[in-house]
Amino acid sequence: MLVHTVYFYFKESVSEEQIAANIEGARELGKIETVKEMYVGTQADVTIRPVSVTGWKFSITVLLANVPDHDIYQDHPIHLDYIAKYKDLWEKVTVFDAD
C-alpha cells in the first residue's frame, strides 16, 4: 500500500470561493482508476501544539496499491488537468509518500 498525502497552502489573494472550488476539484481525483480510497479534509480545529504544522487550507490523502499505481495516478489526465487548473492559486504544496 502507498499513502500519498498532499497539503495545500494558498496565496493570500485567493478567495474562500476559489479555495472551495479547488477542494471540490480535488474530489475528482478519486475517479482515477488506481485510487483505492481518497480523503479530502481541512485543518481540524484542535489545540495547536509545538509540533503542529499550520497554515495549510486542505489536504488530500490517496491510497494506492503500489508505486506503479502511484505513477499512473501522477500522469493521469484528471490529475494533470487538476494541477493545470489550480496551480496558480497555490503558494506551496507539500507531498508525503509512505509505504
Side-chain angles (χ1 to χ4, degrees):
M1 180 70 61
L2 189 139
V3 181
H4 175 72
T5 305
V6 184
Y7 292 88
F8 295 88
Y9 300 76
F10 289 86
K11 295 175 181 175
E12 275 190 40
S13 61
V14 174
S15 70
E16 290 300 320
E17 292 78 18
Q18 289 172 303
I19 294 171
N22 195 157
I23 292 170
E24 283 308 307
R27 295 184 196 288
E28 294 297 307
L29 298 169
K31 294 180 179 178
I32 297 172
E33 62 274 5
T34 59
V35 172
K36 299 289 186 193
E37 290 190 53
M38 185 177 147
Y39 305 94
V40 177
T42 56
Q43 196 166 322
D45 186 19
V46 297
T47 301
I48 303 300
R49 302 178 323 264
V51 295
S52 297
V53 176
T54 61
W56 54 276
K57 287 290 189 177
F58 84 99
S59 67
I60 61 171
T61 300
V62 181
L63 304 181
L64 304 132
N66 49 42
V67 172
D69 280 2
H70 170 269
D71 295 344
I72 290 168
Y73 169 85
Q74 289 297 323
D75 293 330
H76 196 282
I78 292 173
H79 184 252
L80 297 176
D81 288 347
Y82 172 76
I83 293 169
K85 185 171 184 179
Y86 295 106
K87 68 180 180 179
D88 291 336
L89 304 178
W90 305 329
E91 180 70 33
K92 178 173 84 167
V93 175
T94 56
V95 177
F96 299 89
D97 291 313
D99 60 7

